[in-house]
Amino acid sequence: MLAISSELPISNCQLIKSLVITEDEARRQILDKVRPLDKRAVLLAGALECFAAEDYFARLPLPAFDNSAMDGYAVVASSCKKGGRLHLIGEQPAGPDRKLRVRDGEAVRIFTGAMLPQGADAIVMQEDVTRGGVEITLNADVDAGDFVRRRGCDLAEGQMILAKGERIRASTVALLASQGFSEVIVGGKATAAVISTGDELVKPGEQLQPGQIYDSNSVLLNALLLRCGATATAVEHCRDDRQSLGDAIKRGIKNHVLIISGGVSVGEHDLVKEALSQLGAKIEIWRVAVKPGKPFLFGKIGDSFVFGLPGNPVSAFVTFLQFVRPAILRMMGATDLDLPQVPATLAVELTNDGDRPHYIRGRLENEKFTPIGRQESHALFGLSQANALLRVGAGQSLKADEIVSVQIWD
Ligand code: AMP
Ligand code: MG
């Protein structure tokens, strides 16, 4: 029988246990270390998924002038009634200002977006008119303001159009362009390297030998980085040996962020922590009380932040979203670092008997959240069917039909 003396130094196992921190603590430590990168000016075409580094205000009202919402005729509403006739005095297309003036009993042929001629206060759409030479007959009643887009009705001059830290979307670049901005000042672009470790990994497209699997984390992490607006400058596979790992890390730390998948757990082939330490990395976090994803690692080596994600695909996915994504967003100047949360009715009863919060993968449809697939960290198919995560706290029980808050990423 093996006797364990109380005088023995603290065991590895105890040491490891004492290092496990909570998710909140991990996030706090990470966000404490990570700073926004220098801002830069980019052309609108390259601004998508960047974050504004300044507040922007409208230089122009929208619309900038009263104009027609229809192809039709500009008229004085008080001089119009159904069946009445109007005399055509000219044409106002979009673009040039023809400086026309409409009086009672007159009409100007007008097109969508064209300036409203002086005196006109309504547009009759061409479908409501019978045209005969230089005369039109009205087939509908006309009210002042009909089909007129008033100056400033959409946006007033000076109104804020984009706040510092806001994500730039397709509609944002369109709005900036409508204001005459050709470029925008945004936060810096985070660059990242991805290293997928594992002797068992084979590149998709190549031949598998017994016991081997295809590397899916490389493309997963590349895709998640793109979704954050970051650039993956290098994505490489690395075998589980100290030399290759050390070399790959040296290449990877030329980036703001280095993400290493696999090899961060406690097995003999999990060499990431050791390789990082040998290169002088400061390991700030190793192991977080979260399921899946407990062996998560965070540290700094040179100027690069290193994230070690467990190799199981669902663990890599969950830890990326919970810890890497907010860090990258902060670097890029984002204000909102959290995944969007939406309320949902839980379809089934759920209990977490474990001692770590569990991120349940599920499908959010018609405001109902239904867990989907095997809730195990290797179960990639279930993850592929899911579009939302539900965090169930340690020891927490949730009833069917309860309203819960779920995180969405798509
Ligand atoms: P590890 O974290 O290296 O112990 O790996 C845990 C599990 O994840 C193992 O079953 C690995 O085969 C698997 N795994 C590791 N890396 C990848 C990867 N890049 N793609 C798919 N599965 C992986
Ligand atoms: Mg491995």
Side-chain angles (χ1 to χ4, degrees), residues 291-359:
K291 186 177 175 182
K294 188 172 177 181
F296 172 81
L297 174 149
F298 168 71
K300 191 155 191 206
I301 172 164
D303 289 332
S304 185
F305 291 101
V306 188
F307 295 89
L309 313 187
N312 276 309
V314 185
S315 311
F317 180 86
V318 168
T319 50
F320 183 96
L321 289 183
Q322 304 306 322
F323 306 120
V324 187
R325 181 181 181 274
I328 288 179
L329 294 186
R330 164 149 294 173
M331 283 183 195
M332 303 214 352
T335 307
D336 190 358
L337 308 179
D338 296 329
L339 285 170
Q341 297 247 11
V342 293
T345 308
L346 182 59
V348 295
E349 185 185 309
L350 281 177
T351 297
N352 178 4
D353 291 329
D355 58 357
R356 292 175 277 162
H358 192 173
Y359 283 89

Side-chain angles (χ1 to χ4, degrees), residues 268-290:
E268 280 88 327
H269 300 282
D270 295 328
L271 305 172
V272 168
K273 196 161 165 270
E274 182 190 319
L276 284 169
S277 297
Q278 264 170 12
L279 289 171
K282 184 153 191 287
I283 311 287
E284 305 280 354
I285 298 171
W286 182 47
R287 315 234 304 178
V288 178
V290 60

Side-chain angles (χ1 to χ4, degrees), residues 126-325:
Q126 69 184 48
E127 292 85 340
D128 286 342
V129 157
T130 308
R131 175 118 181 223
V134 292
E135 267 199 358
I136 58 168
T137 305
L138 300 170
N139 301 325
D141 286 324
V142 183
D143 291 317
D146 280 357
F147 304 115
V148 174
R149 304 195 286 213
R150 287 288 173 209
R151 177 177 200 270
C153 70
D154 180 24
L155 174 71
E157 197 179 331
Q159 205 174 318
M160 187 184 275
I161 55 171
L162 177 62
K164 182 178 173 184
E166 210 177 300
R167 186 167 70 96
I168 296 179
R169 301 169 294 145
S171 53
T172 322
V173 287
L175 181 61
L176 288 166
S178 80
Q179 293 292 312
F181 292 101
S182 59
E183 42 176 59
V184 55
I185 310 292
V186 297
K189 187 136 190 112
T191 64
V194 175
I195 304 172
S196 272
T197 72
D199 287 345
E200 73 279 30
L201 301 179
V202 173
K203 237 196 197 130
E206 290 177 5
Q207 192 62 45
L208 279 185
Q209 300 301 325
Q212 295 182 324
I213 61 165
Y214 286 120
D215 169 10
S216 57
N217 286 349
S218 287
V219 286
L220 170 73
L221 295 167
N222 184 51
L224 290 170
L225 283 164
L226 287 178
R227 267 298 174 87
C228 296
T231 310
T233 59
V235 180
E236 61 173 294
H237 166 240
C238 180
R239 294 185 62 85
D240 291 316
D241 74 76
R242 288 171 177 81
Q243 182 69 43
S244 322
L245 201 50
D247 293 345
I249 292 170
K250 282 187 215 154
R251 285 189 290 277
I253 57 175
K254 292 177 186 133
N255 295 276
H256 300 118
V257 170
L258 169 62
I259 301 176
I260 307 176
S261 130
V264 280
S265 197
V266 292
E268 280 88 327
H269 300 282
D270 295 328
L271 305 172
V272 168
K273 196 161 165 270
E274 182 190 319
L276 284 169
S277 297
Q278 264 170 12
L279 289 171
K282 184 153 191 287
I283 311 287
E284 305 280 354
I285 298 171
W286 182 47
R287 315 234 304 178
V288 178
V290 60
K291 186 177 175 182
K294 188 172 177 181
F296 172 81
L297 174 149
F298 168 71
K300 191 155 191 206
I301 172 164
D303 289 332
S304 185
F305 291 101
V306 188
F307 295 89
L309 313 187
N312 276 309
V314 185
S315 311
F317 180 86
V318 168
T319 50
F320 183 96
L321 289 183
Q322 304 306 322
F323 306 120
V324 187
R325 181 181 181 274

